[in-house]
Amino acid sequence: MSYRLIRKGLRATVRPVTLAAAALLLASAASAQQPAASDSTVTYPAEFFAQYEPFSVNDMLSRIPGINLAMGGGNQGASGSGGGPGSSGGADRRGLGAGGDQILINGRRIAGKENEGNAQLARIPASQVQYIEIIRGTSGDLDVRGGAQVINIVLLEAETRSSIAAEVNVDRYHDGTLDPGGSISLNGQRGALNYQFSAGAEPRYEFRDGFETSILANGTPNDTVVRQEYRDSKPVTLSTNLGYDLTLNDRVNFNALIADSDAPMTVDRIITDLRATPNTLTTEYDDIPASSDNWEIGGDYEHTFANGSRFKTLFIVNEANSESARDAFDVNGANYTKFLYLATQSVNKERIVRSTYSFGLNETQDLEIGIERAQTILDSQLQLGLPPVPFAPSPLFGGLRPASNTDALVEEIRYESFVVHNWQLNDRMSLESTLLFENSTIEQSGDVRNKRDFDFIRPKVDYRFDITPAIQFRASIEKDVAQLSFADFTASIAGGDDDQNALAGNPELVQEQSLRYEANLEYRLPDDAGVLSTKVFYHDLTDVIDRVDVSTLTTIQSASGNIGDGERYGVSVDASLRLGFIGVPEMLLTSGVQVEDSSVTDPFLGIDRKLRQGGRGNMRLGFRHDLPALSLNYGFNFAHQFEGERKAYDIDKIEDYNSGDMLTVFAETIGFAGLTYRFEAMNALEGERCRERSRYVRGTIATGVLNEIETSCSNTGVKLALKIRGTF
């Protein structure tokens, strides 16, 4: 059996593990049921999951205690990121960096943002997996750096293999709408070529009921609003991932994704004026056509030298286009009178090239040096039309009077040079140190012209100590620079609000910075019985971004801006336990609690308050019970947000947000034709999303007077889903 695919990406870390995995695969079925631990790495062979009859890699991972921590789903602090250079998570993270996605496929990270490793987990059939590793240590040969843990999915290696995984599903919403969808993927290997082709259409219909009440400052009822919102979307996505071994020491990968979605939305509002006698009714209607499309291409080339050193270069090119328009009408019987037109168009582009060279200094130390160039572009336009209509209504403004017509082009060119030193201090301790220098230029044209240069030095230290084979201590200190939202530079719209209007931009925004201190203690129970983890974090923030005053002599207005320094801190405790101690090891209970706080000085009131929408924390509870003899599993996932000061302060309003408890229940079985049938009930408690908004007039929240208090809640109701999946 060849381990060519593994050697290239995980030589130092995986070599002892591959031997252990091979032994497990050749062992008896009984012995293969147990995961193996070696050098801070826990290995789960495919046989471990066989009794559960999993459909995809996601299904396999759901049976692993503590997997939410490895995938970043546990409490990561308020940042929610996994660390490493450019540690802002998700597709919006800063450049590519060495952080972000903590998922490896055959020891390699996929060169992508929209199409990264996390996105592959539901597409890879379980039948294609040889084993899964949870890597708890650091290594100079890993494709990712500084994350709490790394998941490595190692696929079967054969001259020829292939499988087709397909899913059809239908969602039912509380207004009775049925919305079908489905996906199909082809996975396999032919000689030195590994391939995956996927296509899917995901149902994303939404019907939301809302009700709003308003009282004046003196307690007098003002009005009520009954709101119904319909949004219909079904994104269609095509993707491919290809890997080819040119030689034993050379490999190329290519990834591509294209997606398209129309998301039209309509809103009906019935407004009752409680101040009039008798009460008067006003009906409004919003027609909001919207569409978006995006694509991404990525790839990499890696060469492993005879001495074990590696050179790797990769690229990512992506583009996202979106446009939306809002026509708002007063409705009087069959007569529709337009009173607002608000339209936006935007194009977001990103171009990234990254090259690294990794080599060993000695038996215990590795060094990686590299450079990254990233270009990020936002091209946006906004048109606002208002009555009264002039003699020559403008079709570009919905047939109304042009009130605002803005456009902006924002471009950032950023260069990062970095060095990463990985040191295995002894058999139980490792230290990873990163020093990154960043230089960037942000240039804006259009309605506002501006050009600025920035320089940042971003160090990071990651320390790990295996106190015992089961107990690991991790600590890190990192200087992080957040990615600016270029939409904050330009005029925009307040989306998701009934009283949308144009918002000011701020071309003088600078990056929010933070010095992050985090410590984690993890205990893995014997015999894979569970994982206990606790974490404390403290983030010292500089140039916090929130709302600032940009009012003119005639208009009170705010924009995103830097308001000064702040802090964020908290503690989390997570537990994932098999209930073998009560005689039911097939039951897995997952729970977590995070308590946090934050502080910043409000620019309008001059008071110390929480960060914008910074809450008190949350708790989560998950349960699943596998009944292999019946080919059945069921469970639930519950989430609760602690209430208290989830407030957003703006120049003329203060908003307090609360969300209801979320509960999803599921049941899954293997039935007719060997297919997997899964039933889900989402938002089973019909948790509401609520907001209390205090509006001020004749000034700011500091100088004006309270005008009214609005309380609004909305609910999407229970969503039912049936999924039928199979592998062929």
Side-chain angles (χ1 to χ4, degrees), residues 613-646:
Q613 298 191 29
R616 295 289 186 184
N618 61 82
M619 63 87 64
R620 303 166 314 284
L621 183 66
F623 170 83
R624 73 173 301 124
H625 185 194
D626 285 286
L627 299 168
L630 301 177
S631 297
L632 173 69
N633 68 84
Y634 63 93
F636 68 83
N637 291 289
F638 172 81
H640 170 76
Q641 295 283 338
F642 297 145
E643 295 185 7
E645 299 184 32
R646 283 189 65 235

Side-chain angles (χ1 to χ4, degrees), residues 247-429:
T247 69
L248 285 175
N249 297 318
D250 298 88
R251 180 173 176 87
V252 293
N253 297 279
F254 175 81
N255 319 291
L257 175 144
I258 184 169
D260 183 80
S261 175
D262 290 327
M265 176 177 169
T266 60
V267 181
D268 293 302
R269 285 184 299 274
I270 300 176
I271 304 167
T272 303
D273 187 350
L274 302 177
R275 294 174 297 174
T277 305
N279 298 159
T280 59
L281 296 179
T282 302
T283 301
E284 296 179 352
Y285 171 76
D286 287 359
D287 181 27
I288 311 173
S291 64
S292 64
D293 63 80
N294 64 280
W295 57 266
E296 179 176 274
I297 297 174
D300 64 76
Y301 165 76
E302 181 180 85
H303 175 74
T304 302
F305 295 90
N307 62 0
S309 62
R310 295 185 301 150
F311 170 78
K312 185 173 184 177
T313 188
L314 60 83
F315 74 94
I316 298 174
V317 180
N318 57 45
E319 181 175 317
N321 301 272
S322 64
E323 56 182 57
S324 175
R326 179 188 177 197
D327 288 302
F329 302 87
D330 282 320
V331 182
N332 185 10
N335 297 318
Y336 287 67
T337 304
K338 186 183 295 189
F339 65 86
L340 175 70
Y341 176 79
L342 192 54
T344 60
Q345 306 87 39
S346 67
V347 180
N348 290 272
K349 302 178 182 180
E350 193 167 30
R351 311 287 188 264
I352 302 172
V353 178
R354 179 182 178 91
S355 294
T356 60
Y357 178 64
S358 308
F359 57 96
L361 296 174
N362 50 45
E363 291 294 322
T364 60
Q365 299 182 64
D366 297 284
L367 200 68
E368 178 183 85
I369 57 176
I371 188 170
E372 175 176 304
R373 181 187 188 274
Q375 177 189 35
T376 308
I377 299 172
L378 170 65
D379 188 357
S380 68
Q381 297 84 39
L382 180 146
Q383 292 86 35
L384 173 64
L386 296 172
V389 179
F391 291 107
S394 173
L396 295 177
F397 294 82
L400 299 180
R401 168 181 58 87
S404 177
N405 185 15
T406 64
D407 71 274
L409 178 65
V410 185
E411 179 184 42
E412 179 182 38
I413 302 284
R414 184 175 67 257
Y415 292 91
E416 295 179 355
S417 54
F418 55 89
V419 57
V420 182
H421 177 243
N422 189 280
W423 187 5
Q424 192 66 43
L425 300 171
N426 53 45
D427 291 341
R428 298 162 59 189
M429 295 185 193

Side-chain angles (χ1 to χ4, degrees), residues 199-202 234-238 258-261:
E202 181 181 356
K234 189 181 277 75
V236 177
T237 303
L238 303 175
I258 184 169
D260 183 80
S261 175

Side-chain angles (χ1 to χ4, degrees), residues 307-628:
N307 62 0
S309 62
R310 295 185 301 150
F311 170 78
K312 185 173 184 177
T313 188
L314 60 83
F315 74 94
I316 298 174
V317 180
N318 57 45
E319 181 175 317
N321 301 272
S322 64
E323 56 182 57
S324 175
R326 179 188 177 197
D327 288 302
F329 302 87
D330 282 320
V331 182
N332 185 10
N335 297 318
Y336 287 67
T337 304
K338 186 183 295 189
F339 65 86
L340 175 70
Y341 176 79
L342 192 54
T344 60
Q345 306 87 39
S346 67
V347 180
N348 290 272
K349 302 178 182 180
E350 193 167 30
R351 311 287 188 264
I352 302 172
V353 178
R354 179 182 178 91
S355 294
T356 60
Y357 178 64
S358 308
F359 57 96
L361 296 174
N362 50 45
E363 291 294 322
T364 60
Q365 299 182 64
D366 297 284
L367 200 68
E368 178 183 85
I369 57 176
I371 188 170
E372 175 176 304
R373 181 187 188 274
Q375 177 189 35
T376 308
I377 299 172
L378 170 65
D379 188 357
S380 68
Q381 297 84 39
L382 180 146
Q383 292 86 35
L384 173 64
L386 296 172
V389 179
F391 291 107
S394 173
L396 295 177
F397 294 82
L400 299 180
R401 168 181 58 87
S404 177
N405 185 15
T406 64
D407 71 274
L409 178 65
V410 185
E411 179 184 42
E412 179 182 38
I413 302 284
R414 184 175 67 257
Y415 292 91
E416 295 179 355
S417 54
F418 55 89
V419 57
V420 182
H421 177 243
N422 189 280
W423 187 5
Q424 192 66 43
L425 300 171
N426 53 45
D427 291 341
R428 298 162 59 189
M429 295 185 193
S430 66
L431 183 69
E432 183 177 274
S433 305
T434 301
L435 185 62
L436 184 151
F437 175 75
E438 171 186 318
N439 171 265
S440 65
T441 299
I442 299 179
E443 185 170 5
Q444 182 173 349
S445 59
D447 297 328
V448 177
R449 303 190 67 87
N450 197 17
K451 185 176 181 180
R452 297 171 295 159
D453 295 316
F454 300 93
D455 293 308
F456 299 105
I457 296 177
R458 295 158 51 194
K460 179 178 181 179
V461 177
D462 185 291
Y463 170 77
R464 306 193 181 205
F465 176 31
D466 293 327
I467 302 173
T468 71
I471 303 175
Q472 184 182 75
F473 172 76
R474 300 188 291 268
S476 66
I477 303 175
E478 176 185 14
K479 174 67 175 295
D480 186 68
V481 179
Q483 175 63 45
L484 287 169
S485 173
F486 292 168
D488 291 335
F489 288 25
T490 67
S492 60
I493 60 173
D497 207 341
D498 291 342
D499 48 3
Q500 297 182 34
N501 50 28
L503 301 177
N506 182 3
E508 298 299 329
L509 265 179
V510 301
Q511 296 88 342
E512 183 174 302
Q513 304 176 56
S514 60
L515 190 59
R516 304 184 177 191
Y517 305 86
E518 299 186 355
N520 177 272
L521 186 65
E522 178 187 285
Y523 173 51
R524 301 189 70 89
L525 278 68
D527 301 321
D528 199 47
V531 178
L532 304 176
S533 177
T534 184
K535 181 179 207 175
V536 295
F537 63 90
Y538 177 83
H539 298 171
D540 187 9
L541 309 174
T542 304
D543 292 325
V544 173
I545 296 178
D546 208 308
R547 306 300 293 179
V548 298
D549 190 349
V550 293
S551 301
T552 65
L553 294 175
T554 59
T555 305
I556 296 218
Q557 198 169 26
S558 67
S560 292
N562 302 101
I563 65 171
D565 299 338
E567 59 182 357
R568 176 191 291 118
Y569 47 90
V571 59
S572 66
V573 179
D574 290 87
S576 183
L577 302 173
R578 299 192 192 275
L579 302 188
F581 59 91
I582 60 173
V584 280
E586 298 83 7
M587 289 185 178
L588 180 64
L589 184 67
T590 302
S591 62
V593 177
Q594 176 168 301
V595 180
E596 63 178 83
D597 206 350
S598 58
S599 176
V600 73
T601 300
D602 184 78
F604 308 116
L605 299 175
I607 63 172
D608 185 73
R609 61 160 172 89
K610 289 182 177 294
L611 295 169
R612 186 175 182 87
Q613 298 191 29
R616 295 289 186 184
N618 61 82
M619 63 87 64
R620 303 166 314 284
L621 183 66
F623 170 83
R624 73 173 301 124
H625 185 194
D626 285 286
L627 299 168

